[in-house]
Amino acid sequence: LATLYVKQTSEQMEQLQNAVKTGDAAGIRRIAHSCAGASATCGMKRIVPLLREMERQGDEGKLTTTTELFTQVVTEFELIRTVLAPYLAPNAASHS
């Protein structure tokens, strides 16, 4: 589960970064929603509220703090990766 979560969320972080850069509100809403759900399911409590706020801003089309939120999301995800690293399948923690 840890390996799948890190792999999937790593891919979603790249997609979310692109959506934030291009101001794609619908993309931000969709990706943040999916990522928040997976994170909540896996018990990653600190990253979920950040993603939910990104989702809300994307839903409303008001991307007032998405760049700052994304920076916080990346920081939290790096902490998650560090904590989960011992439990990952070989090569799962490296960037694709």
Side-chain angles (χ1 to χ4, degrees), residues 39-76:
S39 296
T41 299
C42 292
M44 306 304 167
K45 294 182 172 93
R46 288 174 29 157
I47 199 170
V48 173
L50 300 169
L51 290 162
R52 291 288 184 219
E53 178 59 19
M54 289 186 77
E55 178 185 358
R56 186 190 65 76
Q57 288 185 22
D59 189 49
E60 293 177 0
K62 297 177 183 172
L63 308 179
T64 52
T65 60
T66 52
T67 301
E68 295 85 351
L69 286 165
F70 181 71
T71 300
Q72 292 176 290
V73 165
V74 169
T75 300
E76 285 299 323

